[in-house]
Amino acid sequence: LAEEEARAEAYLDPSTLRALRATAETELVDRHANRVLAEGFEGMLRDDRREDLRRLHRLLSRVGAGGRLRDAFAAATRREGAAVVRDEENDKDMVRRLLEMKRRAGVVVAESFAGEEAYASALKESFESFVNCRLNRPAELIAKFIDARLRAGGKSTEDAETESALDAALVLFRYIQGKDVFEAFYKKDLAKRLLLGKSASVDAEKSMISRLKAECGSQFTAKL
């Protein structure tokens, strides 16, 4: 594309540049966009090739194909996420895997797709779709993930890590539809932590309940 522009500026009338640029972009980019998205895009995502993804975003934006890239990103995210949620043999790792997937996809949106709102919305919609493809189980496992974090350690050096993990788990919590299921498991686990003296810290417990109250209202946390 740069060569065509340089050639036009060196040898052709200035009025030719716009038409030549449009033709070159159509032939070199637009005609191949669907094949690239169908055959190479998921590999770029899977291998975390952010520079390639940034280049692809930049090129497709030139030809007005950003919508196709967004749709391909959403579809790939849904497929990967649904595979994780439906993998019953690895339920114990589901939340950790989803959090890692969310972190990786968030970095791609920020760095490769220029933080554009359309891609952030696509990521959110994709998570809402696949997190609820297996009834109630994700809600239960998110509650158990939080329980494990609130039981762990209690040393001051771990506070920041615990807070970060709770914030990340809360992001997944926003996507689930079965919040009543989450509340039931969370309440049972909270009771066990308190009755058995297994809670990492009272401050951490209060902090988590405050997060849930801010997210769902005081009625949701009244029994907690």
Side-chain angles (χ1 to χ4, degrees):
L1 292 172
E3 286 175 7
E4 292 295 342
E5 289 193 9
R7 188 175 294 114
E9 290 173 353
Y11 303 120
L12 303 177
D13 188 273
S15 63
T16 311
L17 180 58
R18 178 177 295 181
L20 180 65
R21 181 189 291 135
T23 301
E25 288 175 344
T26 298
E27 293 298 317
L28 297 174
V29 180
D30 196 33
R31 281 186 56 188
H32 305 282
N34 289 341
R35 186 166 64 88
V36 171
L37 292 174
E39 299 178 8
F41 177 65
E42 285 197 48
M44 293 183 196
L45 280 177
R46 185 173 55 251
D47 299 336
D48 200 24
R49 288 157 53 188
R50 294 178 216 164
E51 184 56 40
D52 286 339
L53 290 167
R54 183 183 300 115
R55 188 177 297 112
L56 181 63
H57 172 258
R58 191 164 59 242
L59 285 171
L60 294 187
S61 295
R62 290 178 68 147
V63 297
R68 280 182 275 172
L69 179 60
R70 176 196 179 279
D71 291 344
F73 174 62
T77 303
R78 283 196 299 271
R79 280 192 291 271
E80 182 183 357
V84 172
V85 172
R86 292 193 173 113
D87 185 7
E88 296 183 21
E89 294 183 1
N90 292 294
D91 271 358
K92 65 182 186 301
D93 290 326
M94 180 197 293
V95 174
R96 181 191 59 77
R97 291 168 68 190
L98 289 178
L99 290 177
E100 172 57 24
M101 179 183 162
K102 179 69 168 57
R103 183 202 64 77
R104 193 175 70 247
V107 172
V108 167
V109 169
E111 295 187 5
S112 301
F113 301 150
E116 291 182 12
E117 182 60 34
Y119 293 92
S121 296
L123 182 59
K124 177 177 179 292
E125 291 163 8
S126 299
F127 265 78
E128 288 173 346
S129 170
F130 67 69
V131 162
N132 294 293
C133 72
R134 190 172 161 207
L135 191 63
N136 296 335
R137 188 60 170 158
E140 176 187 348
L141 292 173
I142 292 169
K144 290 187 178 300
F145 176 86
I146 293 173
D147 174 58
R149 285 293 177 172
L150 290 174
R151 284 173 179 264
K155 299 177 182 178
S156 59
T157 55
E158 296 178 347
D159 285 350
E161 182 184 347
T162 299
E163 292 291 310
S164 177
L166 295 178
D167 284 336
L170 197 62
V171 171
L172 290 184
F173 169 76
R174 292 189 187 115
Y175 300 137
I176 61 174
Q177 294 172 353
K179 289 183 169 57
D180 55 337
V181 175
F182 170 90
E183 191 260 351
F185 279 100
Y186 186 88
K187 184 170 64 175
K188 183 176 71 173
D189 292 335
L190 171 63
K192 285 183 179 178
R193 289 195 300 274
L194 297 178
L195 289 169
L196 300 176
K198 297 292 186 180
S199 182
S201 80
V202 174
D203 287 341
E205 297 286 3
K206 289 181 177 179
S207 176
M208 189 63 209
I209 293 174
S210 294
R211 286 179 170 88
L212 293 172
K213 183 177 180 180
E215 198 67 34
C216 299
S218 57
Q219 187 174 352
F220 183 81
T221 57
K223 295 179 181 179
L224 300 180

